[in-house]
Amino acid sequence: MSGYEYQKLKKESPIGITLDISSFTVDIIFVPLTILTLSYTMFLVYGWDAPYQDDWSKIMIIVTNSWAIFPLIVARGIFLKLMILGAMITSFWAHIHWEGFKVPGDEDSPGKWDNVFSTMVIIAYCLEWLPDRWFKLCCKLTEEEHDNLGPWVRDTFFDRPKHVNACNFRLDWKTFIQVIVTIGLGVIVWYAYDKDDWMHVTDDFSLIDIVCVAFVLMAFVWGIVYICSPHHIYKNKKVNLIVWIVAGAFLGTWAIVSKKLKTDVPDAAHATWHICIFSAAYCISRAHSYLKILED
């Protein structure tokens, strides 16, 4: 390494190395670990004798909430990351309570907050698929005003992120729509949770089901807007995009089947739901990384 390259590297990081985590590095951990764990839950836990099934599946339904760490790493923007973090914490809280452990707070609170954040993270993910080119910055800066801002302020609030999983909060209209709609619907779910006539629209569908399905369908349409033009996909990355979308759709379907599955070990089935739904979120974020969302 030349002296110039070393000095340049030191400017990028106070300890002389780059601190960015490659998504491929996370893939190396995520893919085999997910395959092994899903194989374990499906073929071992379901096949064990009842005493082992009951005890071990109770542990797994709590531990598998940690799968949210994977989409948390690769998710785009601090708001989406906070929604995933909230979903993980409240899900831990709810399942620890439901498995008979004593937790602080009102006994009805864990389930309510688990449902609220589960809904909000799905809405936030779907709104992330709004085409960026439809939205501009809320306040336009001159070149001089932009240059006078500190580097952290520019990177966090005004500039396009340098990589998809950046912790930025860009002050554009898309961000504000994402925040307002997500939090607004989260408040509605929180209010409706204790009201059966609000929450249960039919015997089979709840308010949460309808809201989530509606936003998933809208995200599907917005995704087509991106994908239908070859100019929106990075060169030679179309196969990568398709693979991650197919993987996300497959895991999302598996998650729904696991949740609705009638079984003698419902906790094991629900643990599978946790792994699949958080893994589907990871795949969607990885697919997002192959779209040209970083261009104004």
Side-chain angles (χ1 to χ4, degrees):
M1 179 185 292
S2 68
Y4 171 77
E5 290 173 333
Y6 175 73
Q7 292 300 325
K8 184 179 178 183
L9 198 58
K10 284 189 71 175
K11 288 181 181 178
E12 292 178 0
S13 167
I15 59 175
I17 60 172
T18 178
L19 298 179
D20 288 343
I21 299 175
S22 165
S23 296
F24 180 70
T25 303
V26 186
D27 292 344
I28 293 173
I29 302 169
F30 166 78
V31 173
L33 188 59
T34 300
I35 292 172
L36 287 171
T37 308
L38 282 174
S39 300
Y40 181 81
T41 58
M42 294 300 295
F43 301 112
L44 288 180
V45 173
Y46 282 101
W48 283 0
D49 293 333
Y52 299 103
Q53 286 178 335
D54 293 341
D55 292 342
W56 192 240
S57 60
K58 285 181 179 179
I59 297 173
M60 292 190 67
I61 198 173
I62 297 172
V63 172
T64 50
N65 286 291
S66 62
W67 237 255
I69 292 171
F70 291 113
L72 181 64
I73 293 171
V74 298
R76 178 194 181 198
I78 189 64
F79 180 73
L80 184 55
K81 289 179 186 292
L82 287 174
M83 291 299 100
I84 297 171
L85 184 62
M88 181 176 70
I89 292 172
T90 53
S91 188
F92 264 120
W93 183 28
H95 286 94
I96 289 172
H97 170 70
W98 290 332
E99 295 305 324
F101 294 90
K102 297 295 183 184
V103 295
D106 182 72
E107 290 187 359
D108 294 331
S109 294
K112 177 184 288 190
W113 286 110
D114 178 42
N115 277 271
V116 168
F117 272 96
S118 296
T119 306
M120 289 171 68
V121 75
I122 292 172
I123 294 169
Y125 251 107
C126 292
L127 290 172
E128 192 59 41
W129 281 87
L130 276 167
D132 289 56
R133 66 178 183 276
W134 293 356
F135 304 94
K136 299 297 181 183
L137 281 169
C138 302
C139 49
K140 204 68 175 177
L141 300 176
T142 64
E143 187 173 344
E144 183 179 355
E145 290 172 335
H146 178 272
D147 293 341
N148 288 335
L149 295 172
W152 182 84
V153 176
R154 289 198 303 266
D155 292 343
T156 304
F157 298 109
F158 292 98
D159 291 347
R160 287 288 190 189
K162 295 181 177 63
H163 46 87
V164 179
N165 57 355
C167 291
N168 69 313
F169 188 82
R170 196 165 191 258
L171 298 178
D172 57 18
W173 290 110
K174 174 179 174 177
T175 302
F176 282 110
I177 289 172
Q178 185 184 40
V179 171
I180 292 169
V181 173
T182 300
I183 294 177
L185 287 171
V187 171
I188 291 173
V189 171
W190 182 87
Y191 179 79
Y193 184 80
D194 297 320
K195 300 180 182 297
D196 287 339
D197 55 334
W198 276 54
M199 181 56 72
H200 300 288
V201 181
T202 68
D203 292 338
D204 298 320
F205 290 96
S206 68
L207 175 65
I208 294 173
D209 295 329
I210 293 172
V211 168
C212 292
V213 169
F215 273 88
V216 167
L217 291 175
M218 285 189 285
F220 179 75
V221 173
W222 297 328
I224 291 175
V225 172
Y226 270 125
I227 296 170
C228 65
S229 171
H231 302 296
H232 297 152
I233 303 173
Y234 286 107
K235 187 177 181 181
N236 300 324
K237 297 298 181 181
K238 190 171 184 177
V239 173
N240 304 60
L241 176 72
I242 292 172
V243 167
W244 284 113
I245 289 177
V246 170
F250 172 74
L251 287 164
T253 304
W254 190 349
I256 295 170
V257 171
S258 296
K259 195 169 186 181
K260 301 294 185 182
L261 192 66
K262 302 297 183 184
T263 174
D264 295 333
V265 279
D267 282 353
H270 199 83
T272 305
W273 150 268
H274 286 160
I275 297 169
C276 287
I277 200 66
F278 286 128
S279 297
Y282 179 90
C283 294
I284 296 304
S285 283
R286 291 292 287 112
H288 217 193
S289 67
Y290 296 109
L291 296 175
K292 293 182 179 180
I293 59 173
L294 307 183
E295 297 181 358
D296 280 311

